[in-house]
Amino acid sequence: MHIRRSAEEIAANRARYEEHQKKGLEFAPTALPGKSPLPAPVADAASIIHREIIPGGWYWSTRVKPFETLRISLDAGFSSLAMVAWKASEPSERLNLPDTVKLQWTTGLGKGRVIFSDMGRVMFSITEDSSAAHDCLMGGSNTQSNAAKYPDAITRNTRDNLILLATKLGLDRRDIPAALSLFAPVRVDSEGRFEWRPELMNDGDYIDLRAEMEMTVGFSNCPHPLDPNPVCAPKPVTVTRLAAVVPEAGDLCRTATAEAVRGFENNAFATA
């Protein structure tokens, strides 16, 4: 049954939300920085555990240990990369974008932000990010969205890629969380409509994701549903796994927001 709400009720609900948001944002011990400079710093060869180039249309998964970093970089040109993650020892705990958004009062993920699991723990810290143009609202492509965009082409899509990836990991399609689309410049306009903002991207963009628990991480390199390119031609994306570096006591991601502080407390409690 559809319930119609009055303008007064909608306004009251919005006012309550904005008041909660204000309180949530007031506690910010550390100001969040701007975008990371380009080009990406050159990784010391001794720190590189593995480097994978994911071809356009394909998928890949890897295991990461606490404090290792995944550097995802657009070395070959623009492409969006969908990402999912599961706790290695208990894959029922997985990446949770709704909680990531709600707990930090923003859909804008960039340097200094964290990515939460569905257990209120921190899975990743975003330690560097040159674009801050990532989509945590729409998810990746599927058969239907590709058929509408590329009616005369045979293409791969993120949903099918993630099903294949999960199956190879011994998981079911029901275990697949909503995917975070990296390098997808999606924003919401004043009317609540999604829009593609290519001016937010830069040549050679990259993001560094520090693992905060042992995880299995999966990627799919397929065009985002809103990508206006009429041709399905995603470029290769480089994922570099870097050796663990223990964060310092005043680490930005661990102190920037009250929600992150609580998330890391949950991480510590789980390993105690």
Side-chain angles (χ1 to χ4, degrees):
M1 182 175 63
H2 180 67
I3 299 175
R4 297 190 65 180
R5 303 189 185 278
S6 67
E8 292 77 11
E9 184 178 4
I10 293 173
N13 288 340
R14 177 175 290 278
R16 281 196 295 271
Y17 170 81
E18 290 176 349
E19 178 62 23
H20 285 306
Q21 182 187 43
K22 181 175 181 292
K23 291 179 180 178
L25 295 174
E26 280 176 349
F27 179 78
T30 306
L32 292 178
K35 300 175 184 179
S36 300
L38 286 165
V42 177
D44 180 11
S47 71
I48 298 175
I49 299 172
H50 178 76
R51 177 169 284 150
E52 187 77 15
I53 298 177
I54 307 175
W58 290 90
Y59 61 91
W60 178 69
S61 67
T62 188
R63 193 81 164 254
V64 292
K65 296 180 179 179
F67 308 141
E68 291 180 349
T69 289
L70 292 176
R71 172 168 295 166
I72 302 144
S73 52
L74 302 184
D75 299 338
F78 174 75
S79 197
S80 295
L81 189 72
M83 184 186 79
V84 293
W86 300 269
K87 184 177 180 180
S89 61
E90 183 48 75
S92 63
E93 182 172 358
R94 64 199 74 171
L95 179 148
N96 189 294
L97 295 179
D99 285 354
T100 296
V101 170
K102 289 185 293 184
L103 291 172
Q104 297 178 104
W105 298 100
T106 182
T107 60
L109 298 182
K111 183 175 179 178
R113 294 291 183 188
V114 297
I115 300 172
F116 284 92
S117 78
D118 54 6
M119 298 298 290
R121 290 189 274 265
V122 178
M123 300 191 87
F124 294 101
S125 292
I126 304 175
T127 56
E128 299 291 346
D129 181 17
S130 65
S131 76
H134 313 295
D135 173 32
C136 52
L137 296 175
M138 290 195 64
S141 59
N142 56 36
T143 301
Q144 292 75 25
S145 67
N146 272 18
K149 285 181 66 178
Y150 319 111
D152 300 319
I154 298 174
T155 61
R156 299 178 66 93
N157 67 82
T158 286
R159 179 62 182 171
D160 288 346
N161 275 355
L162 293 182
I163 290 172
L164 291 170
L165 185 150
T167 301
K168 290 180 178 180
L169 294 172
L171 301 172
D172 189 84
R173 66 179 63 201
R174 292 172 296 181
D175 298 311
I176 302 171
L180 171 62
S181 294
L182 300 170
F183 311 113
V186 175
R187 293 294 182 264
V188 180
D189 68 15
S190 60
E191 300 298 322
R193 296 169 299 199
F194 295 118
E195 59 181 5
W196 186 261
R197 300 273 302 279
E199 70 275 10
L200 299 176
M201 299 297 301
N202 311 286
D203 290 338
D205 270 329
Y206 70 100
I207 184 171
D208 283 3
L209 300 173
R210 184 180 65 214
E212 301 294 353
M213 62 176 70
E214 188 163 355
M215 290 178 288
T216 302
V217 187
F219 300 98
S220 170
N221 183 8
C222 293
H224 188 276
L226 285 188
D227 187 339
N229 189 344
V231 178
C232 183
K235 301 292 195 338
V237 176
T238 303
V239 181
T240 305
R241 182 179 168 199
L242 300 171
V245 177
V246 178
E248 297 180 355
D251 179 76
L252 170 68
C253 295
R254 292 173 169 245
T255 59
T257 66
E259 293 77 12
V261 171
R262 286 193 290 269
F264 282 108
E265 288 173 351
N266 292 340
N267 282 41
F269 179 78
T271 57

